[in-house]
Amino acid sequence: MNNQNKKVLVFSILFLMISVLEVYGTIQNNKLLEFIFKPLITVSLALLYIVSVKKPSFLFISALFFSFWGDVLLLFPEKYFVLGLVSFLLTHLIFIKIIRGFISQLDSKSIIKSAIFFIVYFGGIIFLILNNLKELLIPVIIYGLVISAFGTFALINYKKSKTTENLWLLIGALIFILSDSIIAINKFYSNNTLLESLIMITYIVAQYLICKAMIAKSIKEEL
């Protein structure tokens, strides 16, 4: 095993340990564990990504940076929920820009066909939580449209090139949207501990799959 592979193994284990401890903290409602390990999820992923590739993408590191701040701000959901929303909004906008760079040709027909599912799904979530949104209606709608665009571009990207890494990217996007949907339901419809645990599990899996896709794409370009 060469030095790079050792580093990848070490940071993979580190990411796994941090993720397990964060999920355990969420299940046990242990705020200390959550405050320690939640911000470290994206930090450990960034380190794993950096040691895995020769030329790290500034855009992807930026997406993880804004995810980090989103995680930190959402540790204080009553005070900083909107700021956390903005941080993850920027994350998704960067993901869209990254994926758009993978798509050589883009036409309105493919966008509309791929967007239908996400718009219908988003509409269903809004319908469910509408009565409780109040002054957050516009911010949540904007956020929902952006994550719908994220899913749309990930689906178009996979349709145009059905590679394993594009599949990981698509599944990561879908699970990220699921995680955000559970956040909306948990905050504006039915709050419970089980949903909080599902939020973290889906979020961690989504971020890992997107990172895994980015690593695979970078390695393929380096060959």
Side-chain angles (χ1 to χ4, degrees), residues 56-121:
S57 163
F58 173 76
L59 281 176
F60 183 59
I61 295 296
S62 298
L64 292 177
F65 172 79
F66 286 114
S67 292
F68 166 83
W69 282 110
D71 287 338
V72 171
L73 291 164
L74 290 181
L75 287 169
F76 311 92
E78 299 308 317
K79 289 184 177 181
Y80 302 118
F81 180 77
V82 173
L83 289 176
L85 206 67
V86 170
S87 291
F88 278 112
L89 182 75
L90 293 170
T91 296
H92 291 308
L93 286 171
I94 294 170
F95 282 151
I96 291 169
K97 183 172 178 58
I98 290 171
I99 297 171
R100 177 64 186 90
F102 299 147
I103 303 169
S104 56
Q105 293 182 331
L106 192 62
D107 57 87
S108 56
K109 185 178 179 181
S110 63
I111 293 174
I112 293 169
K113 285 176 65 177
S114 298
I116 291 173
F117 166 78
F118 297 101
I119 296 300
V120 171
Y121 177 79

Side-chain angles (χ1 to χ4, degrees), residues 32 77 84 107 129:
L32 179 60
D107 57 87
I129 66 175

Side-chain angles (χ1 to χ4, degrees), residues 13-24:
I13 294 171
L14 179 64
F15 169 73
L16 179 61
M17 290 174 61
I18 288 169
S19 299
V20 169
L21 288 167
E22 165 56 22
V23 172
Y24 176 76

Side-chain angles (χ1 to χ4, degrees), residues 174-213:
L174 293 174
I175 297 176
F176 214 135
I177 292 170
L178 176 61
S179 183
D180 284 341
S181 303
I182 301 171
I183 289 175
I185 292 168
N186 191 51
K187 184 170 180 63
F188 300 112
Y189 186 74
S190 175
N191 181 270
N192 65 67
T193 305
L194 176 60
L195 290 182
E196 290 177 4
S197 303
L198 285 174
I199 289 166
M200 285 316 306
I201 292 168
T202 51
Y203 172 70
I204 290 166
V205 172
Q207 288 279 31
Y208 174 74
L209 286 173
I210 294 169
C211 182
K212 186 178 176 71

